[in-house]
């Protein structure tokens, strides 16, 4: 299932006798996302949802790494293919939100290693997240002049609250699994050798009603009341302008987060897609991506 050449990455599906389908992202070394990986994940998930012998689904990454997110070349002016831009919007709403998160079978993410950007966003749309203590989680897109584009601006605040979510996104901050547990980003911490098995059992527990079935996009218990939320966003804008007066993308990110809080998460998702398409074409994004490659080049010497 999920066929594609290794260079582009793919996903592999195994269905256990317990009725849990394990979908593994395979694009070594960091299991980076690409349009191919995402389309393969979509195909694998849809197949698992249709199979009568599958009761629940676990998503994980090969060789102890969940997914480092989209390769840097996926943003900036480096990939001009129109289909890619369209696919991102289509992916965020039609796939990640309307078939993946809204699935009739529970999805549990088994997280280890770097789980960044789009990789974390896929995990955020699952109904639970099981992690190792050393996994690194973060939405790091702002360091490349863009913003999370698979629903992260909407789901992260609903899982961890607005303050923590803004801090993570605006500072491209990575947090360890053990810390992620304390503020509700993950549901449990287990040793690496127990990770997938715990996730399987957790998924079956959700299916059988022993554990809660949570759609992150519609969680509200962690969100601050509206008046307080507006104050937090206002302060975040003030800080962003003070620290980087010439950068527009942090303010765009704050606007997108606010849209979801004021007008509802669905409106926020659409605004996120539009903002991402616009920011990917920006000079800031192109130059930050260029700097990233230049720095990587010198560090290898």
């Amino acid at each position: 299932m999920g066929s594609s050449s290794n260079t582009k990455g793919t996903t592999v599906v195994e269905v256990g006798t317990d009725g849990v389908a394990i979908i593994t992202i395979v694009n070594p070394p960091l299991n980076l996302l690409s349009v191919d990986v995402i389309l393969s994940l979509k195909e694998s998930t849809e197949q698992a949802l249709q199979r009568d012998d599958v009761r629940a689904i676990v998503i994980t990454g090969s060789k102890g790494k969940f997914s480092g997110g989209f390769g840097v070349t996926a943003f900036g002016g480096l990939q001009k293919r129109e289909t890619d831009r369209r696919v991102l919007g289509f992916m965020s709403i039609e796939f990640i939100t309307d078939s993946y998160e809204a699935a009739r079978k529970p999805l549990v993410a088994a997280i280890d290693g770097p789980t960044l950007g789009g990789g974390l966003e896929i995990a955020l749309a699952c109904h639970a997240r099981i992690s190792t203590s050393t996994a690194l989680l973060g939405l790091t897109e702002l360091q490349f002049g863009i913003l999370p584009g698979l629903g992260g601006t909407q789901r992260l605040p609903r899982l961890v609250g607005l303050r923590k979510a803004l801090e993570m996104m605006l500072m491209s901050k990575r947090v360890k699994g053990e810390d992620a547990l304390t503020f509700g980003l993950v549901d449990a911490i287990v040793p690496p050798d127990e990770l997938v098995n715990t996730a399987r059992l957790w998924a079956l527990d959700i299916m059988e009603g022993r554990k809660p079935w949570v759609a992150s996009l519609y969680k509200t218990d962690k969100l601050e009341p509206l008046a307080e939320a507006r104050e937090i966003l206002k302060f975040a804008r003030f800080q962003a302008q003070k620290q980087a007066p010439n950068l527009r993308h942090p303010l765009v990110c704050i606007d997108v987060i606010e849209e979801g809080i004021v007008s509802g998460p669905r409106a926020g998702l659409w605004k996120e897609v539009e903002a991402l398409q616009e920011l990917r074409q920006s000079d800031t994004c192109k130059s930050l991506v260029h700097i990233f490659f230049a720095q990587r080049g010198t560090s290898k010497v």
Side-chain angles (χ1 to χ4, degrees):
M1 285 162 96
S3 57
S4 176
S5 71
N6 284 341
T7 52
K8 292 179 174 176
T10 186
T11 58
V12 178
V13 183
E14 288 171 82
V15 179
T17 51
D18 58 358
V20 179
I22 308 284
I23 301 178
T24 306
I25 300 168
V26 184
N27 191 15
L30 292 176
N31 298 322
L32 292 182
L33 300 178
S34 60
V35 172
D36 298 280
V37 168
I38 290 269
L39 288 172
S40 175
L41 177 65
K42 182 175 183 292
E43 187 190 338
S44 296
T45 307
E46 284 167 356
Q47 284 182 20
L49 290 173
Q50 283 159 9
R51 283 177 60 162
D52 292 337
D53 59 338
V54 172
R55 301 177 64 213
I57 300 168
V58 167
I59 313 278
T60 193
S62 66
K63 298 194 165 75
K65 297 179 175 73
F66 189 81
S67 172
F70 284 95
V72 175
T73 50
F75 5 102
L78 301 180
Q79 268 185 334
K80 279 289 202 302
R81 289 183 300 170
E82 283 303 303
T83 51
D84 289 2
R85 281 177 53 203
R86 205 174 62 243
V87 158
L88 286 175
F90 160 74
M91 284 296 156
S92 170
I93 295 164
E94 284 190 38
F95 170 45
I96 296 291
T97 303
D98 292 348
S99 67
Y100 185 95
E101 188 176 56
R104 305 229 160 138
K105 297 172 186 179
L107 293 141
V108 173
I111 298 171
D112 196 4
T115 305
L116 306 171
L120 179 56
E121 289 178 284
I122 285 168
L124 292 177
C126 287
H127 306 110
R129 285 150 294 287
I130 312 300
S131 175
T132 62
S133 60
T134 54
L136 269 186
L137 297 81
L139 293 179
T140 51
E141 288 88 345
L142 268 80
Q143 66 187 19
F144 301 113
I146 58 165
L147 83 177
L150 286 180
T153 62
Q154 305 306 308
R155 289 186 180 89
L156 189 62
R158 290 168 175 276
L159 282 168
V160 305
L162 193 51
R163 280 194 178 87
K164 191 78 205 168
L166 281 162
E167 177 197 348
M168 283 181 68
M169 282 186 259
L170 295 175
M171 297 168 65
S172 292
K173 189 176 172 181
R174 296 161 175 81
V175 297
K176 279 201 163 156
E178 54 193 353
D179 298 322
L181 178 66
T182 60
F183 46 82
L185 182 52
V186 301
D187 300 283
I189 295 291
V190 296
D193 57 344
E194 293 171 30
L195 180 63
V196 172
N197 202 38
T198 303
R200 293 181 101 103
L201 295 170
W202 201 284
L204 289 170
D205 277 351
I206 295 175
M207 191 63 197
E208 287 159 19
R210 288 192 296 267
K211 286 206 162 69
W213 191 315
V214 181
S216 308
L217 193 64
Y218 298 104
K219 236 173 102 62
T220 54
D221 57 304
K222 284 286 187 81
L223 280 183
E224 292 82 353
L226 192 55
E228 190 186 339
R230 285 185 191 270
E231 285 303 310
I232 294 168
L233 289 157
K234 194 169 135 185
F235 182 69
R237 277 195 189 90
F238 170 75
Q239 289 287 92
Q241 282 167 318
K242 198 170 79 172
Q243 285 163 6
N246 303 319
L247 291 182
R248 193 173 141 263
H249 68 279
L251 300 173
V252 172
C253 183
I254 295 168
D255 287 346
V256 169
I257 294 167
E258 180 158 41
E259 177 79 7
I261 286 169
V262 174
S263 308
R266 191 97 189 162
L269 285 176
W270 279 112
K271 192 175 176 87
E272 180 190 81
V273 167
E274 287 154 17
L276 178 67
Q277 289 192 9
E278 187 196 330
L279 290 173
R280 287 174 74 207
Q281 304 308 310
S282 72
D283 291 337
T284 303
C285 178
K286 286 169 195 169
S287 57
L288 287 171
V289 168
H290 181 78
I291 289 165
F292 173 82
F293 280 113
Q295 284 173 340
R296 279 229 310 221
T298 53
S299 66
K300 279 181 188 154
V301 173

